[in-house]
Amino acid sequence: MSEPLFSADPKAGYLAHADEIRAAIERVLASGHYILGPEVEAFEREFADYHGSGQVVSVANGTEAIELALRAVGVAAGDSVATVANTVTATVSAIEQIGARPFFVEIDADTMLMSATALAAVLAAQGGRIKAVVPVHLYGQPAAMPAIVEVAHRHGAKVVEDCAQSHGAVVAGRKAGTWGDVAAYSFYPTKNLGALGDGGAVFTRDATAAEKVRMLRQYGWRQRYVSEIPGRNSRLDEVQAAVLRVKLKYLDQENSVRRAKAARYLSKLATAPLRLPVVASGAEPVWHQFTVRTPQREALRGSLAERGIHCGVLYPVPVHHQPAYASYSVPLPETERACAEVLCLPVHPAVADADVDRVCEEILRWSKS
Ligand SMILES: *Cc1c(COP(=O)(O)O)cnc(C)c1O
């Protein structure tokens, strides 16, 4: 029996760089700086440079990154924010934390990402009431940003990109995260750039928005002990920043390993009775997940699990069908279909070519049984 295989393996992400990570943590332990010190400062600069230019403000997690990004572009209680329901609940809880109201936009049937056409219809129907739009680059696939930004700005709505699954993805020649007014990242351990605990960041080229997030993340301070605006504690600690600095060095290399695995799946599964991921023209995904579709999802998932291949389902229940959000429910047939059919195959950097081959063989065998 082969080793069990999982579609997420944060321990492998640590072991791949264990010596460097341990040295980085030792450096922090010896430094006496544990919160908002030199490691956080260096990580923020390095991750900003990764985007070409702009500013990064690190925060405690991805959910707060979205919330503070929305606040930074002016979203307040009572405002409406358009997003998708094919996402993790976090995207929507960030909106709700502000007291704003989520408006769900249908996804594109092929990419399973926000449909720019559906967004245009929602924005037109709401007549300027939507304050911000949150496209989600789900599975590491960048959403149709040129069209989304154009239609959002035309209707006076700001764009906050949810980049929690898309570190390094590119669309129309530009990195995801650099299209909108502000972008939000998560460094949850399983993400393409993952810490060894919680972490998040906001990226923006808008100096005013960056300053607002910097104040919001620490008690509304611009200057120590002077709370100019109501704020909170949403800080990244030095240990996580030091770990992220190590991981960031390998992000592009690891993303290209993910790309090679995805290409291998696409070729080996070409004849399988599954819907394979569709990459939109101009999109260069980073394959946070390799997500296939079948109406027999549960049968395939069970059959693979029996053979030690444990696949994730991102996500089994769309947000508008979650008990907490039932009051916002609108019919979203493409979203509902996607959630019923998706299955995420192991594609992280520790997955070997032989593992991909094994998964493909098991899928093909299952399809013939
Ligand atoms: C992980 C994730 C988040 C939330 O990030 P946390 O760090 O867990 O708060 C938000 N949106 C998406 C799409 C995610 O995958």
Side-chain angles (χ1 to χ4, degrees):
M1 185 79 183
S2 331
E3 287 286 299
L5 192 57
F6 296 88
S7 59
D9 190 350
K11 187 176 175 184
Y14 158 61
L15 291 176
H17 312 293
D19 290 345
E20 265 190 273
I21 288 173
R22 284 170 171 277
I25 293 174
E26 289 287 348
R27 187 173 72 227
V28 174
L29 297 182
S31 77
H33 281 285
Y34 305 118
I35 295 283
L36 295 190
E39 298 289 340
V40 163
E41 222 170 90
F43 171 68
E44 289 181 345
R45 195 172 55 242
E46 288 158 9
F47 196 45
D49 289 346
Y50 184 75
H51 294 79
S53 65
Q55 296 190 49
V56 164
V57 183
S58 58
V59 297
N61 56 63
T63 310
E64 294 195 332
I66 301 167
E67 182 197 332
L68 300 192
L70 286 167
R71 289 186 188 274
V73 298
V75 173
D79 286 339
S80 296
V81 176
T83 189
V84 286
N86 186 31
T87 185
V88 64
T89 298
T91 312
V92 178
S93 45
I95 295 167
E96 283 228 306
Q97 284 306 308
I98 304 173
R101 179 194 198 289
F103 252 87
F104 294 113
V105 177
E106 184 59 297
I107 56 172
D108 176 88
D110 290 326
T111 63
M112 299 187 274
L113 305 169
M114 178 182 277
S115 155
T117 314
L119 174 65
V122 166
L123 289 167
Q126 292 306 312
R129 278 193 298 272
I130 304 280
K131 196 78 182 261
V133 178
V134 183
V136 180
H137 307 303
L138 203 68
Y139 315 131
Q141 298 259 21
M145 293 313 291
I148 288 171
V149 170
E150 192 279 322
V151 72
H153 285 172
R154 183 150 45 81
H155 284 88
K158 299 286 189 180
V159 177
V160 169
E161 295 177 66
D162 182 342
C163 293
Q165 300 191 6
S166 68
H167 316 71
V170 167
V171 54
R174 261 169 69 179
K175 276 208 168 90
T178 66
W179 288 90
D181 297 281
V182 184
Y185 284 92
S186 165
F187 306 123
Y188 183 80
T190 59
K191 312 290 187 184
N192 290 38
L193 179 57
L196 299 177
D198 274 313
V202 165
F203 167 80
T204 181
R205 289 182 174 151
D206 175 341
T208 310
E211 180 67 4
K212 181 96 186 273
V213 175
R214 206 168 278 120
M215 290 168 76
L216 288 169
R217 81 165 168 192
Q218 184 162 243
Y219 321 132
W221 290 354
R222 191 192 315 264
Q223 197 189 322
R224 206 170 177 77
Y225 305 128
V226 183
S227 296
E228 288 181 31
I229 55 173
R232 85 231 355 243
N233 171 1
S234 182
R235 299 177 298 222
L236 184 71
D237 64 68
E238 287 284 286
V239 167
Q240 298 308 335
V243 170
L244 286 165
R245 291 181 70 199
V246 174
K247 296 276 204 90
L248 178 59
K249 290 195 288 178
Y250 300 100
L251 175 60
D252 283 343
Q253 186 187 317
E254 292 182 347
N255 280 344
S256 56
V257 171
R258 288 175 185 265
R259 286 195 174 109
K261 306 297 161 214
R264 197 173 183 93
Y265 273 124
L266 288 169
S267 106
K268 301 227 159 203
L269 293 175
T271 60
L274 296 172
R275 271 173 88 176
L276 297 176
V278 174
V279 178
S281 133
E284 299 170 41
V286 289
W287 303 102
H288 176 63
Q289 302 293 337
F290 186 92
T291 306
V292 300
R293 296 179 63 167
T294 168
Q296 281 86 50
R297 191 259 312 283
E298 288 309 318
L300 175 56
R301 186 191 198 182
S303 167
L304 291 173
E306 275 172 22
R307 284 158 184 82
I309 300 164
H310 303 280
C311 296
V313 171
L314 277 63
Y315 292 93
V317 179
V319 181
H320 68 300
H321 283 178
Q322 300 284 348
Y325 303 106
S327 63
Y328 303 125
S329 198
V330 284
L332 298 167
E334 292 300 344
T335 300
E336 289 150 27
R337 200 168 302 133
C339 291
E341 295 184 353
V342 291
L343 188 67
C344 303
L345 308 182
V347 75
H348 54 79
V351 174
D353 282 353
D355 296 326
V356 172
D357 295 353
R358 185 175 133 223
V359 175
C360 294
E361 278 156 29
E362 292 297 349
I363 291 174
L364 292 167
R365 194 194 47 72
W366 168 81
S367 73
K368 289 172 190 127
S369 66

